[in-house]
């Protein structure tokens, strides 16, 4: 912030980032928002990828697959996702869920214990990082972002580019990306 007075222009990738910069004394007139772009030639619906991954994960088309994509970090709030999932699976027998991302300890142990306590073991799978993200998004029926903080969430924008509806917490630019409809 101290060096910003010498900058001609400050570029943020989110309106949340702009608001943060302004709260720290950077004049609004010197800040421009340039949102992250999503390559829609790469991120697009992938029916074959959907079929292959759901077969690999043993999740049939008769199941509603809800997924959270993100590193295992308290900021991504997998705990809230799991608690909401427990409510949803209590109401619908066809729901399955997947958490995709790195599985670092000790956070993984706590989340696995929470999933067991919520009786989600038979409905939830954990997979590590995946290389073919358009196929991953296409395999989902709904993407959830339960994050406690974000700027511009590439995950949300990528999933939407693949035609996947998103349920998000109103943090950063997440609600702005999803829109009103």
């Amino acid at each position: 912030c101290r060096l910003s007075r010498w900058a001609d222009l400050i570029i943020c990738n989110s309106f949340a980032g702009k608001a943060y910069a302004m709260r720290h004394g950077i004049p609004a007139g010197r800040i421009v928002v340039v949102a992250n772009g999503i390559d829609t030639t790469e991120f697009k619906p992938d029916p074959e990828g959907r079929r292959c991954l759901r077969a690999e994960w043993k999740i049939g088309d008769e199941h509603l697959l809800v997924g959270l994509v993100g590193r295992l970090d308290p900021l991504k709030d997998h705990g809230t996702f799991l608690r909401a999932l427990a409510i949803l699976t209590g109401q619908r027998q066809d729901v399955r869920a997947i958490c995709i991302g790195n599985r670092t300890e000790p956070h993984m142990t706590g989340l696995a214990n929470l999933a067991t306590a919520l009786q989600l073991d038979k409905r939830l799978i954990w997979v590590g990082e995946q290389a073919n993200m358009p196929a991953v998004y296409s395999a989902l029926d709904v993407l959830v972002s339960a994050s406690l903080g974000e700027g511009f969430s590439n995950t949300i924008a990528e999933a939407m580019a693949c035609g996947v509806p998103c349920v998000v917490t109103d943090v950063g630019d997440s609600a702005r990306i999803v829109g009103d409809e």
Side-chain angles (χ1 to χ4, degrees):
C1 288
R2 283 186 249 146
L3 297 176
S4 68
R5 65 179 173 213
W6 289 289
D8 293 327
L9 188 65
I10 296 169
I11 300 172
C12 297
N13 76 335
S14 65
F15 288 92
K18 179 179 180 176
Y20 175 86
M22 290 169 47
R23 283 193 308 272
H24 287 84
I26 297 173
R30 302 220 344 254
I31 305 170
V32 172
V33 175
V34 178
N36 295 349
I38 304 301
D39 182 353
T40 56
T41 62
E42 178 182 359
F43 290 94
K44 60 186 178 189
D46 180 359
E48 181 61 18
R50 174 185 173 88
R51 188 192 61 73
C52 290
L53 282 179
R54 286 177 78 113
E56 178 182 325
W57 297 334
K58 297 177 178 55
I59 298 172
D61 280 335
E62 71 277 10
H63 294 113
L64 175 74
L65 182 57
V66 179
L68 188 150
V69 174
R71 69 186 183 279
L72 288 177
D73 181 289
L75 190 63
K76 298 300 182 184
D77 201 4
H78 287 73
T80 292
F81 172 71
L82 295 177
R83 287 186 286 280
L85 183 61
I87 294 167
L88 182 59
T89 58
Q91 297 171 353
R92 292 186 60 158
Q93 293 300 309
D94 64 333
V95 173
R96 300 296 179 269
I98 189 164
C99 290
I100 300 163
N102 68 351
R103 297 168 50 177
T104 57
E105 295 296 337
H107 197 53
M108 180 63 205
T109 300
L111 290 171
N113 290 341
L114 177 59
T116 298
L118 294 170
Q119 300 177 336
L120 295 172
D121 292 335
K122 293 182 180 167
R123 303 238 197 142
L124 170 68
I125 59 174
W126 302 86
V127 298
E129 295 179 50
Q130 301 289 297
N132 186 351
M133 290 308 297
V136 167
Y137 294 128
S138 294
L140 303 177
D141 294 306
V142 178
L143 175 99
V144 175
S145 173
S147 290
L148 299 171
E150 289 285 348
F152 183 98
S153 171
N154 286 352
T155 298
I156 295 167
E158 290 168 355
M160 290 179 66
C162 292
V164 178
C166 298
V167 175
V168 304
T169 49
D170 189 7
V171 296
D173 281 7
S174 296
R176 180 184 291 270
I177 295 166
V178 171
D180 293 334
E181 298 180 28

